[in-house]
């Protein structure tokens, strides 16, 4: 089988298209590159959607934690503490068991609500359930980052706004929000990188991979198991992840540039990339 | 009972890994600032590669790689008259005497060996993080102090041991405490390395089709995992408090913002 055929057969294997059976023997380098790359689709999917949705949750939670009202502040503090204080791995396991149990509880309470039972069934699948956990997790980590940025907004900026009579929503929208994003952005870039790395945990925790559709690490460990040779699939995986990390840095760097556009060159915050924090 | 013992496994892993990783990190950091170029490249490359790739991939990789490396070395030394290649297609074949642990050895040796591999893997990965933190700490020590040391006629070695070493810890402490939290949160990954840790036992005891109980029971796994969640939350909370105390203590008399007054951290 030529390499082109392999790519045709397996490029979208992780999404269920193409050849059903995974290659069983005589693995070529091309096989491994294609399948692991195909698994990377899942990592990108989890990472992009969790980050995109988690951003809004994070901003909401950060403002709640910074608020004076204890009814808003306490739940936000607890939420951040629970998701940042426990391992993501355990969160995955716990969430999976919870989602498995949900329909049983759900049908007891409200019979006839077909929609709810359908929804909870989807939660046990990785594409929604794991996404949900990742979304909550990145929400908590980025909320802490945004909260820190909120607290380090120069006091003079806010006071100046008060002096001009800008209060409430316009003050948040025009003064606090842009500064908060600008201050938080370097740390938030790191968070994005960690999240992409954390997506590799999904299929190794409770969530089963259905019809052998897994992420990049799932296929890499499949090859390592079958060939008993870790020296080929894992470096390929590393190669893909370094590419992915570089893409993330590129995108976030562009946004960072835009956020710092108005500042003189030497004051603009440089993106300092410190990848890799495990959760 | 093994479930409770497995908490001990996790704590032991933490206790063994933390100093080992610190040692790895120390060597990594000193290598990274060495004057000998290959050593410096090695130190920098070590930290860069480990930090750029998902660590779970490293955990999966190193366990097999280390195992094979050990067996390969033993194979070369113990059975030199073996002529067949070690890699035969998809198999990794070494002679019987080179197997680690020996197939004749008792069960506990196998478990201890698995644990040892896990500790080594954790140390290598976290050593890279620690190297990075310590490297930052070394660079944060005010340069004027090192120059003063040299002006007094100390050699490079003396400056390193007498001025740099005692002071770098306070600068590295925030990073190290962060690292410790990460290490705590990484311990459930032991499960993936094949060690029978708390995650393993939670699944085993909680599952309705487990062999641990003679009677059937409903699915308890969710309660076990809830317990684990609380366990880890407590661990991180306690360490947070301890580090805060340590920080205020160490900042006393240091040339940082926290040093002037006893309260407040230097971070």
């Amino acid at each position: 089988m030529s390499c082109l055929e392999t790519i045709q057969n397996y490029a979208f294997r992780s999404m269920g298209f193409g050849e059903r059976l995974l290659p069983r023997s005589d693995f070529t380098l091309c096989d491994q590159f294609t399948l692991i790359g195909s698994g990377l689709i899942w990592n990108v999917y989890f990472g992009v959607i969790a980050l995109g949705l988690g951003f809004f949750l994070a901003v909401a939670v950060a403002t709640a934690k910074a608020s004076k009202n204890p009814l808003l502040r306490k739940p936000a503090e607890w939420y951040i503490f629970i998701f940042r204080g426990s391992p993501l791995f355990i969160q995955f396991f716990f969430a999976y068991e919870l989602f498995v149990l949900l329909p049983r509880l759900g049908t007891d309470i409200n019979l006839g609500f077909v929609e709810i039972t359908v929804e909870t069934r989807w939660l046990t699948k990785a594409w929604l359930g794991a996404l949900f956990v990742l979304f909550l997790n990145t929400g908590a980590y980025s909320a802490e980052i945004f909260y820190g940025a909120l607290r380090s907004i120069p006091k003079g900026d806010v006071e100046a706004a008060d002096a001009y009579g800008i209060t409430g929503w316009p003050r948040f929208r025009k003064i606090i929000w842009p500064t908060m994003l600008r201050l938080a952005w370097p740390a938030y870039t790191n968070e994005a990188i960690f999240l992409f790395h954390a997506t590799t945990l999904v299929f190794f925790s409770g969530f089963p991979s259905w019809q052998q559709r897994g992420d990049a690490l799932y296929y890499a460990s499949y090859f390592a198991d079958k060939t008993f040779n870790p020296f080929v699939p894992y470096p390929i995986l590393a190669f893909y992840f370094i590419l992915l990390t570089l893409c993330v840095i590129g995108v976030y760097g562009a946004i960072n540039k835009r956020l710092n556009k108005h500042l003189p060159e030497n004051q603009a915050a440089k993106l300092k990339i410190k990848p890799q924090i495990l959760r | 009972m093994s479930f409770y013992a497995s908490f001990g496994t996790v704590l032991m892993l933490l206790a063994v890994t933390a100093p080992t990783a610190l040692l790895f990190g120390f060597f990594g950091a000193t290598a990274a600032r060495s004057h000998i170029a290959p050593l410096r490249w090695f130190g920098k490359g070590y930290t860069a590669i480990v930090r750029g790739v998902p660590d779970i991939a490293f955990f999966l990789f190193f366990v097999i790689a280390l195992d094979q490396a050990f067996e390969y070395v033993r194979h070369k030394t113990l059975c030199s008259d073996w002529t067949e290649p070690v890699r035969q297609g998809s198999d990794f074949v070494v002679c019987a005497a080179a197997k680690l642990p020996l197939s004749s050895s008792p069960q506990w040796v196998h478990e201890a060996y698995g644990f040892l591999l896990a500790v080594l893997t954790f140390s290598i990965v976290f050593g890279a993080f620690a190297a990075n933190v310590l490297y930052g700490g070394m660079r944060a020590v005010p340069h004027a102090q090192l120059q003063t040391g040299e002006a007094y006629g100390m050699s490079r070695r003396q400056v390193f041991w007498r001025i740099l070493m005692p002071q770098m810890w306070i600068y590295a402490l925030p990073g190290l405490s962060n690292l410790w939290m990460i290490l705590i949160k990484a311990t459930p990954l032991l499960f993936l390395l094949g060690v029978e840790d708390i995650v393993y036992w939670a699944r085993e005891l909680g599952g309705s089709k487990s062999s641990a109980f003679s009677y059937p029971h409903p699915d308890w796994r969710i309660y076990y995992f809830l317990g684990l969640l609380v366990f880890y939350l407590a661990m991180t909370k306690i360490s947070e408090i301890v580090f805060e105390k340590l920080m205020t203590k160490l900042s006393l008399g240091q040339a940082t913002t926290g040093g002037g007054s006893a309260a407040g951290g230097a971070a």
Side-chain angles (χ1 to χ4, degrees):
Chain A
M1 196 158 59
S2 74
C3 191
L4 209 63
E5 282 173 52
T6 312
I7 294 176
Q8 273 174 357
N9 285 337
Y10 290 116
F12 295 102
R13 174 62 180 78
S14 64
M15 291 155 75
F17 300 116
E19 198 74 22
R20 257 187 98 85
L21 286 174
L22 294 180
R24 305 235 154 236
S25 55
D26 305 325
F27 306 95
T28 59
L29 208 57
C30 179
D31 280 346
Q32 309 202 4
F33 255 106
T34 315
L35 257 181
I36 294 174
S38 149
L40 201 69
I41 296 172
W42 275 112
N43 296 97
V44 172
Y45 158 81
F46 281 128
V48 168
I49 299 192
L51 275 174
L53 297 177
F55 178 75
F56 297 102
L57 178 74
V59 172
V61 173
T63 43
K65 192 178 174 186
S67 94
K68 289 202 176 65
N69 185 351
L71 277 180
L72 283 175
R73 197 179 64 231
K74 284 287 163 197
E77 276 174 0
W78 273 99
Y79 162 69
I80 290 177
F81 170 63
I82 287 174
F83 276 92
R84 291 187 76 222
S86 61
L88 179 65
F89 200 53
I90 301 282
Q91 287 169 23
F92 272 131
F93 272 117
F94 179 69
Y96 179 68
E97 301 302 333
L98 191 72
F99 293 151
V100 168
L101 283 183
L102 266 181
R104 290 184 219 160
L105 299 173
T107 42
D108 280 343
I109 301 164
N110 38 12
L111 286 162
F113 276 92
V114 186
E115 281 167 43
I116 285 185
T117 42
V118 169
E119 272 186 17
T120 46
R121 192 169 54 82
W122 283 348
L123 278 173
T124 60
K125 299 275 192 294
W127 70 263
L128 185 62
L131 184 64
F132 189 65
V133 178
L134 281 170
F135 157 69
L136 288 179
N137 193 277
T138 183
Y141 277 86
S142 348
E144 187 67 22
I145 292 171
F146 287 136
Y147 172 71
L150 266 184
R151 298 217 323 173
S152 47
I153 288 177
K155 224 179 169 153
D157 288 14
V158 184
E159 281 167 358
D162 285 339
Y164 276 103
I166 306 173
T167 50
W169 174 248
R171 186 180 70 173
F172 180 77
R173 175 73 193 79
K174 299 249 183 237
I175 312 285
I176 296 179
W177 167 254
T179 314
M180 180 189 89
L181 276 191
R182 187 168 61 79
L183 292 177
W185 208 256
Y188 189 60
T189 308
N190 286 334
E191 156 64 22
I193 296 169
F194 312 151
L195 188 78
F196 275 105
H197 288 178
T199 53
T200 48
L201 279 174
V202 170
F203 290 103
F204 281 86
S205 54
F207 291 97
S209 59
W210 185 55
Q211 292 184 346
Q212 294 189 314
R213 300 175 190 177
D215 74 333
L217 185 63
Y218 176 82
Y219 288 125
S221 75
Y222 171 83
F223 285 122
D225 277 355
K226 287 277 185 261
T227 59
F228 207 59
N229 180 3
F231 296 98
V232 179
Y234 288 122
I236 294 177
L237 179 80
F239 164 75
Y240 274 121
F241 263 91
I242 288 169
L243 277 190
L244 186 63
T245 308
L246 288 179
C247 290
V248 174
I249 292 173
V251 171
Y252 276 72
I255 299 175
N256 189 48
K257 225 179 197 163
R258 196 187 140 72
L259 287 172
N260 285 304
K261 210 167 50 178
H262 59 293
L263 290 178
E265 193 100 327
N266 54 353
Q267 274 182 33
K270 284 266 158 51
L271 270 192
K272 238 193 185 167
I273 306 305
K274 290 196 213 150
Q276 206 39 280
I277 293 275
L278 208 116
R279 9 192 131 195
Chain B
M1 269 316 105
S2 330
F3 177 62
Y4 298 107
S6 63
F7 279 97
T9 310
V10 168
L11 294 178
M12 197 159 87
L13 177 90
L14 281 175
V16 177
T17 308
T20 327
L22 212 55
L23 204 71
F24 271 74
F26 189 70
F27 284 124
T30 37
R33 61 194 296 290
S34 155
H35 279 242
I36 308 160
L39 209 58
R40 190 168 65 237
W41 294 334
F42 171 76
K44 294 213 161 150
Y46 169 51
T47 52
I49 290 176
V50 175
R51 292 186 329 143
V53 180
D55 18 24
I56 174 177
F58 265 98
F59 289 139
L60 294 178
F61 171 77
F62 270 119
V63 168
I64 312 179
L66 282 175
D67 189 32
Q68 292 190 353
F70 288 153
E71 289 195 343
Y72 185 71
V73 169
R74 280 171 61 95
H75 177 77
K76 279 282 165 208
T77 49
L78 289 180
C79 350
S80 44
D81 51 344
W82 190 280
T83 50
E84 289 165 55
V86 172
R87 284 203 189 283
Q88 298 174 1
S90 303
D91 291 318
F92 185 82
V93 186
V94 290
C95 60
K99 281 258 187 292
L100 249 184
L102 295 172
S103 48
S104 55
S105 52
Q107 177 66 23
W108 71 267
V109 177
H110 283 261
E111 282 175 15
Y113 181 67
F115 186 75
L116 185 79
L117 278 183
V119 167
L120 259 178
T121 310
F122 266 73
S123 307
I124 289 174
V125 172
F126 281 92
F129 299 153
N132 199 45
V133 170
L134 292 180
Y135 184 66
M138 286 178 185
R139 296 220 322 195
V141 172
H143 206 71
Q145 297 206 10
L146 305 185
Q147 285 170 341
T148 314
E150 275 164 21
Y152 274 95
M154 288 186 181
S155 67
R156 279 180 56 81
R157 182 176 302 229
Q158 281 174 325
V159 168
F160 179 78
W161 285 108
R162 298 193 189 165
I163 299 182
L164 192 60
M165 263 287 274
Q167 288 199 80
M168 62 184 240
W169 299 108
I170 180 68
Y171 295 101
L173 192 66
L176 286 181
S177 79
N178 195 18
L179 202 63
W180 169 252
M181 301 286 184
I182 298 164
L183 182 61
I184 290 178
K185 287 191 260 170
T187 48
L189 295 180
L190 266 184
F191 167 68
L192 293 181
L193 310 186
V195 177
E196 296 185 352
D197 76 329
I198 44 184
V199 178
Y200 171 85
W201 284 110
R203 276 166 69 106
E204 194 72 357
L205 296 176
S208 46
K209 285 190 221 98
S210 95
S211 51
F213 291 103
S214 50
Y215 55 90
H217 66 77
D219 200 338
W220 285 342
R221 276 181 291 187
I222 186 163
Y223 303 111
Y224 277 101
F225 281 119
L226 190 65
L228 289 192
L229 210 68
V230 172
F231 168 69
Y232 277 107
L233 282 178
M235 288 276 284
T236 45
K237 192 79 201 167
I238 292 170
S239 358
E240 217 169 80
I241 295 168
V242 169
F243 273 111
E244 222 159 82
K245 287 253 163 70
L246 198 66
M247 193 75 210
T248 40
K249 209 167 179 183
L250 277 181
S251 324
L252 275 175
Q254 282 286 339
T256 58
T257 41
S261 58

